[in-house]
Amino acid sequence: MPNTRMRKTVLTLVILGLATLALSILCLSIGGTSIPVKETLLSLMGKNEEGSDLIIMQFRLPRILAAILIGAALAVAGAVLQGVIRNPLASPDLLGVTGGASVAVVAFMTLFTGYSIHWVPAIAVVGAFLTAALNYALAWKNGISPFRLVLIGIGLSTAMGALTMFLLISGPAYLAPQVLNWMTGSIYGTNWKYIEVLWPWIVLFIPLSILYAKELNVQSLGESVAVGLGSRLQLSRLVLLFYSVALAGAAVGVAGMISFIGLLAPHMARRLVGHSYKMVIPVSALLGAMILLLADLAGRMLFLPLDIPAGVFTAGIGAPFFMYLLFKRKAVG
């Protein structure tokens, strides 16, 4: 049975990996200017001498890579949080993590005009960590209870939203459109500088999350069972929260408030490969990448020549899905 499950997981990962690759090539080929797939592939191999090479390599490829990295980061951050809190409705938004990152970036944008993009992910991660630390401290009472963590997170998320709006209103008026576009969740205008600052966070913390998946599996059995099996419960929660906050903060720093990917992707992954986090996390990463690629493609193509932020589409799909999950849990309860 375990071998059968492993073969199914490997097959799922291969299929999703190929689907992500095919979708990426499609996204590179179509847009305001359509480019044949053959020319796209030649550009990727460095053999295209047509004018389209500039469009693919300098404009579309960094945007596609950003969508893959950000989608994967948000999905894994959500999967880890759902495991720590033992609640399938948890996501980085719920704990105020993305709200804290948003406040830090909006403050940075409004106070330091002419800023370097290299600082934005780091600033977002600092804001996310400060909010997570505040949540952790307020929720501490002889240890961390997932229930208290969520309740305080909802309060902090609301407070961070109000603070973000205050900073936006009190900041320079000419920066408002730029800040609002970032807050909506967009990867429009992403260039190679964004990829340079984003990829180290993803490459480091997604593998670390997979390595720590065993702890998530143990904690899913309940606190008393986990302690009985030798788990250092509070330390494990702290480490896993650290990974989740780092991934969510880095993603928000580049793309703004892209919501619901951290909720959608882990649910879809569990449907495909079961409940073991060693399998859920990598499958969630690929699904998160595909969701954001599709959302960005829809934003680019459905309302040409307008470029609608991808966050609008993830919210449009995620909000009804969240209501469906709430209704389903209520029916089961």
Side-chain angles (χ1 to χ4, degrees), residues 2 7 9 12 25 36 38 40 46 58 76 92 112 119 123 165 170 173 194 226 240 268 287 294 299 307 315 322:
R7 280 198 294 272
T9 301
T12 303
I25 293 171
K38 183 179 177 183
T40 302
Q58 294 303 320
V76 173
F112 299 93
W119 286 101
I123 294 293
M165 291 310 297
S170 59
Y194 290 82
L240 287 162
M268 296 165 70
L287 288 170
L294 286 169
D307 197 311
F322 183 70

Side-chain angles (χ1 to χ4, degrees), residues 96-182:
V97 171
T98 52
S102 179
V103 167
V105 173
V106 172
F108 184 67
M109 284 179 167
T110 53
L111 296 176
F112 299 93
T113 53
Y115 59 85
S116 167
I117 185 60
H118 287 89
W119 286 101
V120 175
I123 294 293
V125 170
V126 169
F129 272 122
L130 288 176
T131 312
L134 181 60
N135 190 345
Y136 201 83
L138 293 174
W140 181 271
K141 187 178 180 182
N142 299 321
I144 286 296
S145 155
F147 183 66
R148 286 199 301 274
L149 209 60
V150 170
L151 279 184
I152 293 169
I154 291 171
L156 283 175
S157 184
T158 306
M160 293 299 142
L163 188 54
T164 301
M165 291 310 297
F166 172 77
L167 288 169
L168 180 62
I169 292 169
S170 59
Y174 69 91
L175 282 176
Q178 180 187 348
V179 175
L180 276 173
N181 187 56
W182 175 84

Side-chain angles (χ1 to χ4, degrees), residues 198-233:
L198 181 61
W199 74 263
W201 299 90
I202 315 303
V203 169
L204 176 63
F205 286 105
I206 286 182
L208 285 175
S209 300
I210 295 172
L211 289 174
Y212 236 77
K214 185 179 176 183
E215 277 296 328
L216 286 171
N217 291 333
V218 171
Q219 290 187 25
S220 68
L221 300 174
E223 293 186 4
S224 55
V225 176
V227 172
L229 290 173
S231 171
R232 299 170 70 183
L233 195 64

Side-chain angles (χ1 to χ4, degrees), residues 24-31 33-38 40 56 60:
S24 302
I25 293 171
L26 178 68
C27 291
L28 285 169
S29 298
I30 62 177
T33 303
S34 293
I35 299 167
V37 172
K38 183 179 177 183
T40 302
I56 292 172
R60 291 186 185 168

